[in-house]
């Protein structure tokens, strides 16, 4: 039973990582930010990215946001702990 939960958690983390990557790519295309798919990605990934929003370099107008990178690293660390503990 615990192995099944670990497998589900592993898959969910993988999906969240892909969602963050897709959201990051779509952020370069303002035309697609008004679509429902983009709104769903924002709703799913915002709780993951908000704690890491303070990792920005530059001024407010030209800041580089490192929150997706930091969030992906943290999710990968969590995923590796889950995999090493239960597989």
């Amino acid at each position: 039973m615990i192995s099944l939960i670990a497998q589900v958690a592993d898959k969910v983390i993988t999906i969240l990582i892909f969602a963050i990557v897709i959201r990051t790519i779509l952020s370069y295309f303002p035309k697609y930010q008004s679509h429902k798919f983009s709104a769903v990605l924002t709703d799913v990934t915002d709780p993951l990215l908000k704690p890491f929003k303070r990792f920005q370099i530059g001024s407010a107008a030209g800041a580089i946001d490192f929150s997706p990178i930091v969030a992906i690293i943290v999710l990968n660390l969590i995923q590796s702990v889950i995999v090493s503990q239960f597989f």
Side-chain angles (χ1 to χ4, degrees):
M1 183 67 177
I2 293 176
S3 176
L4 176 65
I5 294 171
Q7 288 176 351
V8 170
D10 181 48
K11 300 302 178 198
V12 167
I13 290 172
T14 301
I15 291 168
L16 289 173
I17 290 171
F18 280 118
I20 291 171
V21 170
I22 292 168
R23 178 184 172 177
T24 304
I25 292 169
L26 285 178
S27 71
Y28 290 104
F29 302 100
K31 176 181 175 182
Y32 297 108
Q33 291 180 2
S34 62
H35 289 280
K36 289 186 180 185
F37 179 71
S38 182
V40 170
L41 281 177
T42 301
D43 291 342
V44 169
T45 58
D46 260 354
L48 297 170
L49 297 176
K50 280 190 179 184
F52 305 112
K53 286 287 185 183
R54 62 178 173 222
F55 298 107
Q56 293 184 354
I57 295 177
S59 65
I64 298 172
D65 187 11
F66 287 104
S67 60
I69 295 169
V70 176
I72 288 171
I73 290 170
V74 169
L75 285 172
N76 276 328
L77 288 172
I78 293 169
Q79 189 174 32
S80 67
V81 167
I82 290 172
V83 169
S84 68
Q85 292 292 327
F86 298 105
F87 295 120

